[in-house]
Amino acid sequence: MALKLGFIASGGGTNLQAILEGIASGTLPAKACLLVCNNSAAGAMRRASAFGMPTLHLSSHTHPDPGMLDEALSAAMEDHGAELIVCAGYNKKLGRRILQRYQGRILNIHPSLLPKYGGQGMYGMNVHEAVLAAHDTESGPTVHLVNEEYDRGPVVAQARVPVLPGDTPESLQVRVLGAEHRLYAETLRRIALGEIDLDSLKG
Ligand code: GRF
């Protein structure tokens, strides 16, 4: 049976697109049941609509009270039957209610080999600048479970890419993002097929 995925995004949505392509091609046995976006103009919204999946804008504009926003997000995911929540470039912290209701069932992708270069302020180009400043010879994305602490949930999967001589933060970002697209879709496929047991990772 297809695994029902609910997505949360804020930005361009290239990871979302890669996952939706995996579903459309039949390699990922899942159903995309909802995208919630906190930015109604985000590229993720346009990409989701192009695939004909339901979208919803929920943010501090629609729900100024953070508790109400948390409740609305959680309720929307449940109403659409989401079994697993996929954060695909979401730039806010999740509230307690959704973290409780979907405990061990919320995934995120981070553009570094966690636990390196995670935590507050470590997002976007900051991550790739830090990797280059440390003269690391490899980098790559991490898929992890989301808990109360930024980038600290159990690691589900990682992929490695080389850091090449002459790399700039921008060139490294392109290489890591390509690996993100492959890793996120492949990790979800393995979860859907029961090859990865999220319950064994809880903690
Ligand atoms: C990615 O770099 C991901 O690692 C981070 O947010 C970015 C999302 O990019 N969490 P996109 O919106 O999927 O293109």
Side-chain angles (χ1 to χ4, degrees):
M1 238 189 21
L3 179 66
K4 292 186 188 136
L5 304 177
F7 295 88
I8 312 180
S10 304
T14 64
N15 276 285
L16 171 74
Q17 168 105 21
I19 295 165
L20 295 179
E21 284 172 2
I23 294 173
S25 72
T27 54
L28 172 54
K31 179 176 160 46
C33 55
L34 178 67
L35 166 68
V36 173
C37 213
N38 61 342
N39 170 7
S40 58
M45 285 293 241
R46 288 195 303 278
R47 292 179 198 268
S49 299
F51 278 84
M53 68 177 285
T55 62
L56 187 60
H57 170 225
L58 293 177
S59 70
S60 55
H61 291 285
T62 63
H63 295 75
D65 178 89
M68 301 285 273
L69 177 59
D70 182 18
E71 174 58 38
L73 180 55
S74 186
M77 287 296 171
E78 287 187 314
D79 290 349
H80 284 78
E83 297 170 303
L84 191 66
I85 295 182
V86 179
C87 297
Y90 186 58
N91 60 14
K92 299 277 181 214
K93 241 181 160 173
L94 292 173
R96 275 174 45 201
R97 192 157 314 213
I98 194 162
L99 287 171
Q100 269 166 17
R101 284 199 200 155
Y102 281 92
Q103 195 185 10
R105 290 285 177 277
I106 307 178
L107 294 175
N108 183 45
I109 192 157
H110 183 82
S112 75
L113 294 169
L114 292 175
K116 291 181 106 175
Y117 313 113
Q120 198 130 25
M122 275 297 166
Y123 58 86
M125 219 50 91
N126 295 353
V127 172
H128 307 297
E129 281 166 5
V131 170
L132 292 178
H135 303 289
D136 287 358
T137 55
E138 60 178 11
S139 187
T142 300
V143 175
H144 64 96
L145 284 172
V146 175
N147 60 18
E148 294 75 14
E149 280 184 277
Y150 271 118
D151 307 325
R152 286 269 178 254
V155 170
V156 181
Q158 293 184 312
R160 287 166 193 275
V161 300
V163 177
L164 300 176
D167 257 339
T168 61
E170 290 77 14
S171 65
L172 183 56
Q173 183 194 36
V174 168
R175 196 173 310 120
V176 172
L177 189 60
E180 287 184 35
H181 298 159
R182 294 185 291 276
L183 181 70
Y184 222 174
E186 171 61 11
T187 303
L188 288 168
R189 190 186 72 81
R190 291 175 62 201
I191 292 169
L193 293 177
E195 294 175 14
I196 294 175
D197 176 16
L198 293 179
D199 289 332
S200 69
L201 300 169
K202 274 186 197 165

